[in-house]
Amino acid sequence: MEQLKILVTGASGFIGSFIVEEGLARGYEVWAAVRKGSSRQFLQDERIRFIELDLNSEERLEEQLEGHRFDYVVHAAGLTKTTDNNQFFFVNTRGTMVLTEVLLRMKMPLKRFVYLSSLSIFGPVREQQPYTEIVETDEPHPNTAYGQSKLLAEKFLEEKGKKKAFPYVILRPTGVYGPREKDYFMMAKSIRGHVNFAVGYKQQDLTFVYVKDVVQAVFLAFEHGETSRSYFLSDGCVYQSAAFSDLIRKELGNPWCLRLKAPIWLLRIITLCGDVVGKLTGRVTALNSDKYHILKQRNWRCDIEPARRELGFEPQYQLERGVKETMDWYKENGWI
């Protein structure tokens, strides 16, 4: 039987590197799409086949893909932080458009094109208590440039799916955490330094999904579910704001910790200052305007029943197990 081929964009990134590993473990021929200066720290397996792709130019990309035929494409490349919001649309929206157009023009015989989007495309939906799950029929109102850029990419895929029978599947994970991830790592680093920071006094319902469960959904989407469909991904549970930090403290041996809860208005001032610092230094700060809107949002519940029913998705990691495995990795690799 001929070996099936996967192309993974964003292969050097947090989620992409795990997709590459799982593809190899399942016996696929895995092609890792990277940029010229991309780190290959987590792409050391000698079976990985590398390809440099330019998602800024259709002409250049077509040249780079010439002679290649892939059964599956997983588009995990994307920008999550920047000091220039225009870059979100250039990378996340236009990059998706360029890749899709080239694959269509080349008549790539794809079985599935899996796009990693985000729950962030919905923004503050169903914010009245008691909170209820965001469902796929809700109207998206993204309040971050990141969420807007991912929504525009989704809409483009939907149009192509209608006109060209493009076999796409969109996955919309909530907050993804796990080994190699750097944002939640900042929380662990802060707690190790005896400070835990929270925002807002109104109840916040949070959801999470472990990186390996996201990867599970990617491979399920190759063979299950419908094309031209979108699926939410979480671990199926709802948590309160202190749950993640409490589990981190437990894995760190319960160090004493000063828990600071700031009002929303103070966070807004801090993030505006972060924007100014970012523009002056050219470096993205941890607290910026996009982060403000994410922290301000109170309802992150989402309905994963369609993913369960149609993909066969069943989360293997609830928060306690996932945080333990993540913290063990941070320790073993000298991050903390």
Side-chain angles (χ1 to χ4, degrees):
M1 187 182 214
E2 188 177 351
Q3 196 175 26
L4 293 170
K5 297 181 181 180
I6 308 174
L7 173 66
V8 182
T9 71
S12 62
F14 165 48
I15 300 175
S17 61
F18 278 96
I19 295 170
V20 169
E21 287 181 2
E22 184 64 18
L24 294 172
R26 291 174 182 242
Y28 291 95
E29 181 179 303
V30 182
W31 287 76
V34 294
R35 296 190 305 272
K36 198 164 190 177
S38 297
S39 168
R40 302 189 183 187
Q41 180 182 2
F42 303 117
L43 299 173
Q44 298 295 316
D45 196 301
E46 62 183 13
R47 294 172 294 172
I48 300 172
R49 298 168 187 250
F50 290 96
I51 182 171
E52 288 186 17
L53 297 184
D54 182 357
L55 300 186
N56 301 327
S57 164
E58 290 187 24
E59 293 73 20
R60 177 74 178 131
L61 182 59
E62 189 164 354
E63 290 174 6
Q64 292 167 325
L65 288 175
E66 186 64 39
H68 290 283
R69 289 293 179 268
F70 298 104
D71 297 287
Y72 304 103
V73 170
V74 183
H75 186 33
L79 189 65
T80 58
K81 298 188 193 72
T82 179
T83 58
D84 178 5
N85 283 349
N86 291 324
Q87 287 298 306
F88 282 125
F89 299 95
F90 185 73
V91 175
N92 297 343
T93 308
R94 188 170 182 277
T96 304
M97 294 168 69
V98 167
L99 178 60
T100 303
E101 291 285 15
V102 169
L103 292 172
L104 284 168
R105 191 158 63 232
M106 296 181 71
K107 295 182 170 52
M108 189 73 70
L110 293 179
K111 300 178 188 296
R112 293 286 164 95
F113 177 97
V114 180
Y115 178 57
L116 284 181
S117 186
S118 170
L119 179 59
S120 292
I121 72 155
F122 279 87
V125 176
R126 299 176 179 263
E127 291 274 278
Q128 297 301 314
Q129 292 179 289
Y131 305 133
T132 55
E133 292 177 336
I134 298 168
V135 297
E136 59 186 316
T137 54
D138 284 328
E139 186 70 27
H141 295 287
N143 56 358
T144 64
Y146 169 75
Q148 292 163 9
S149 69
K150 299 294 270 189
L151 178 59
L152 286 174
E154 283 198 18
K155 288 184 177 298
F156 178 82
L157 288 174
E158 288 168 7
E159 285 303 310
K160 290 300 174 183
K162 291 174 186 174
K163 295 177 182 177
K164 304 282 187 177
F166 189 61
Y168 75 85
V169 176
I170 295 171
L171 300 179
R172 297 166 172 164
T174 183
V176 186
Y177 70 101
R180 308 172 193 167
E181 201 279 333
K182 294 180 179 177
D183 284 349
Y184 290 111
F185 164 68
M186 295 301 293
M187 183 190 297
K189 193 174 178 182
S190 177
I191 290 170
R192 190 187 63 173
H194 308 293
V195 176
N196 181 22
F197 183 74
V199 176
Y201 300 104
K202 186 179 177 183
Q203 178 181 324
Q204 187 178 40
D205 284 0
L206 297 172
T207 52
F208 301 95
V209 61
Y210 192 61
V211 63
K212 291 181 182 178
D213 280 331
V214 175
V215 173
Q216 173 206 156
V218 167
F219 284 88
L220 286 170
F222 286 176
E223 307 295 341
H224 302 279
E226 300 292 328
T227 57
S228 301
R229 287 282 281 123
S230 305
Y231 298 99
F232 295 114
L233 302 178
S234 80
D235 69 4
C237 299
V238 178
Y239 303 92
Q240 298 308 303
S241 59
F244 204 101
S245 57
D246 285 347
L247 288 169
I248 289 174
R249 281 191 66 217
K250 176 184 173 184
E251 295 304 320
L252 289 174
N254 289 308
W256 68 268
C257 194
L258 180 63
R259 180 168 287 169
L260 302 175
K261 183 168 279 195
I264 292 291
W265 63 263
L266 179 58
L267 175 68
R268 189 60 182 136
I269 293 172
I270 293 170
T271 54
L272 287 171
C273 291
D275 287 342
V276 172
V277 171
K279 289 187 182 300
L280 290 174
T281 63
R283 298 180 63 183
V284 184
T285 59
L287 291 174
N288 52 59
S289 286
D290 257 30
K291 192 69 171 178
Y292 163 75
H293 291 294
I294 291 170
L295 292 170
K296 180 184 176 185
Q297 187 169 322
R298 300 288 96 181
N299 180 28
W300 289 95
R301 291 171 175 255
C302 59
D303 178 19
I304 68 168
E305 285 310 309
R308 280 182 156 136
R309 184 175 61 251
E310 297 176 26
L311 296 180
F313 173 68
E314 196 56 50
Q316 300 301 302
Y317 287 81
Q318 291 188 355
L319 201 56
E320 185 169 6
R321 181 187 178 195
V323 169
K324 175 172 174 44
E325 192 166 294
T326 302
M327 295 298 294
D328 286 346
W329 187 91
Y330 288 155
K331 292 172 189 174
E332 290 165 6
N333 287 272
W335 285 34
I336 56 173

